[in-house]
Amino acid sequence: MRLKVGIIGAGNVGGTCAQRILERDLADVALVDVVDGLAAGKALDLAEAAPIEGHDRQIAGATSYDILAGAQVVVITAGLARKPGMSRSDLLDANAKILASIVPQVKTHAPDAILITVTNPLDIMTHLTWKLSGFPTSRVIGMAGVLDAARFRYFLAQRLKVSVKEVSAIVLGGHGDSMVPLPRYTTVAGVPLASLLPAEEVERLIQRTREGGAEVVTLLKAGSAFYAPASAVADMAQAIVRDEHRRLPCCAYLTGQYGLNDLFCGVPVTLSARGVEEVIELTLTDAERAALHRSAQEVRKDVAALAASPPHPGPLPSGERVG
Ligand code: A3D
């Protein structure tokens, strides 16, 4: 049986995810985008790189969802990205509409797939993906924690002048300014971070991590980060298609863990071919738990806003540029 990953949205994140998955030799890729020719063009371009990159993976691109048939994983990256000055929540209405037109088609053509949502605002779009798909919660995950932890790890590695490979970190909570990097669970070659850097410096790097997405948006001026987000997706897809049982921070459904219920939020999970095997419950201090609950409260606000005006599938607001 050939492994296949479907990707909806062939923009910056979707196209780069396709590249990462092919060049890691993980799976065939089926790329879908609403813009005629975009997915087909990127697929052909990526396919023509195969002889040089040295893989024999197949890649197809289309506007039609038929090509998803047989996919074990489907990554949803379709939607508007932030512009300078926008928060992730500003994207809620437009992206909810887009998901409402996508997820039913994904469900029809890849009914057994594990879904990885990337579209922002991440936690609420993952919640919506779950609602629209009707899939079990173990098969719906959002990508954020792997990216946020990678940003924190990179900043720490630069500051401490060590390889990024030595730095291990966990980030909990919603994918927004209230995310909760956990210095107490951050180590450098097994050594706790607190013994390597003063608390004020750690706090400064935590703040830079929280603003990591906005820092890139400000520099790019048009569009948002996509290289690191695509790497994070590739790690999650790899854990699933290779049944790695990796422990990764992901946006997952909570049923009482950390005192939170009926909510998708960033927590460490074990990720395997069956999706989320289990949510790992870390022991938190009162302050860490309070920060996680504050962050979860932000996610709940978006869930409530969406429940008050559920999305109808439809085109983008006129004049919006999506590519
Ligand atoms: P962009 O390069 O604009 O690509 C989006 C693509 O979605 C475009 O090619 C559109 O044509 C396509 N699209 C729009 N509507 C539909 C539809 N109905 N069906 C199929 N395709 C459609 O954006 P991007 O790739 O930079 O970002 C995509 C999304 O990911 C945005 O919502 C970003 O905010 C989000 N994002 C999230 C993270 C996280 O860490 C969670 C990181 C980076 C980007």
Side-chain angles (χ1 to χ4, degrees), residues 29-54:
V29 170
L31 195 54
V32 177
D33 199 287
V34 71
V35 175
D36 189 33
L38 183 63
K42 288 203 178 181
L44 180 60
D45 195 11
L46 283 163
E48 289 167 355
I52 305 166
E53 293 300 330

Side-chain angles (χ1 to χ4, degrees), residues 205-228:
L205 297 178
I206 285 179
Q207 199 46 36
R208 189 170 176 202
T209 302
R210 288 202 181 103
E211 292 163 4
E215 189 177 354
V216 175
V217 169
T218 304
L219 287 167
L220 291 177
K221 295 180 188 70
S224 61
F226 55 99
Y227 291 116

Side-chain angles (χ1 to χ4, degrees), residues 8-14 32-35 38 65 77-82 91 95 98 101-102 118-120 122 143-144 147 175 224-226 229 316 322-323:
I8 318 300
N12 281 336
V13 176
V32 177
D33 199 287
V34 71
V35 175
L38 183 63
Y65 285 74
T77 76
L80 303 181
R82 281 196 289 171
L91 303 169
N95 285 350
I98 292 174
S101 69
I102 287 173
V118 182
T119 305
N120 269 318
L122 188 273
M143 183 292 288
L147 170 66
H175 182 57
S224 61
F226 55 99
L316 294 172
V322 293

Side-chain angles (χ1 to χ4, degrees), residues 213-248:
E215 189 177 354
V216 175
V217 169
T218 304
L219 287 167
L220 291 177
K221 295 180 188 70
S224 61
F226 55 99
Y227 291 116
S231 294
V233 170
D235 249 19
M236 291 169 67
Q238 177 172 325
I240 296 167
V241 298
R242 295 198 178 153
D243 194 24
E244 288 179 331
H245 289 247
R246 282 196 70 190
R247 293 192 159 198
L248 297 172

